[in-house]
């Protein structure tokens, strides 16, 4: 989770983007006191909070990729998120199987 956030931020993810309820990513991190008995959970929550709130000063925001940067591979994204092809995933409220991760180009029209 933390690794995936770092990869997304490295390539210009917008930390000010909001979900359908108007919440920013940092506002969706659970309260660490709820996880007192879970090993390393409080540390992970604190690191994610710092990453999303403090660690972004001076970084570009608003685009998925920074201008002039090389593209990120699908394999890198999957590794950062702890996923692999054929994993079962949930997108929104739909369950599916991960079959592809990477860039693609579509014809106009």
């Amino acid at each position: 989770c933390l690794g995936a956030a770092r990869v997304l931020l490295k390539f210009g993810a917008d930390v000010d983007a909001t979900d359908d309820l108007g919440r920013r990513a940092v506002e969706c991190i659970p309260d660490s006191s709820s996880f007192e008995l879970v090993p390393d959970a409080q540390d992970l929550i604190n690191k994610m909070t710092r990453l999303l709130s403090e660690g972004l000063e001076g970084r570009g925001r608003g685009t998925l990729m920074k201008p002039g940067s090389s593209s990120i591979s699908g394999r890198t994204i999957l590794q950062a998120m702890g996923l692999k092809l054929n994993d079962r995933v949930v997108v929104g409220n739909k369950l599916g199987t991960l079959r592809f991760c990477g860039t693609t180009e579509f014809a106009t029209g």
Side-chain angles (χ1 to χ4, degrees):
C1 183
L2 189 59
R6 284 186 180 129
V7 169
L8 291 169
L9 294 173
K10 178 181 178 183
F11 287 91
D14 184 0
V15 295
D16 292 323
T18 57
D19 65 8
D20 293 342
L21 300 176
R23 300 173 300 184
R24 294 173 37 235
V26 72
E27 297 167 331
C28 296
I29 299 171
D31 180 23
S32 62
S33 65
S34 303
F35 295 91
E36 291 176 352
L37 301 176
V38 180
D40 301 324
Q42 290 183 329
D43 184 49
L44 179 61
I45 289 170
N46 292 335
K47 286 179 180 178
M48 182 66 79
T49 302
R50 278 193 308 276
L51 179 66
L52 294 177
S53 59
E54 300 169 0
L56 300 173
E57 299 306 320
R59 292 186 190 225
R61 296 183 182 177
T63 59
L64 184 57
M65 299 292 290
K66 293 178 184 177
S69 68
S70 60
S71 65
I72 185 171
S73 73
R75 181 177 297 203
T76 301
I77 294 170
L78 290 177
Q79 286 176 341
M81 297 178 74
L83 296 170
K84 60 186 180 303
L85 292 180
N86 296 317
D87 278 353
R88 299 289 286 172
V89 294
V90 176
V91 177
N93 61 353
K94 296 186 180 193
L95 179 65
T97 303
L98 182 60
R99 301 279 186 211
F100 177 81
C101 183
T103 59
T104 187
E105 294 183 25
F106 294 97
T108 57

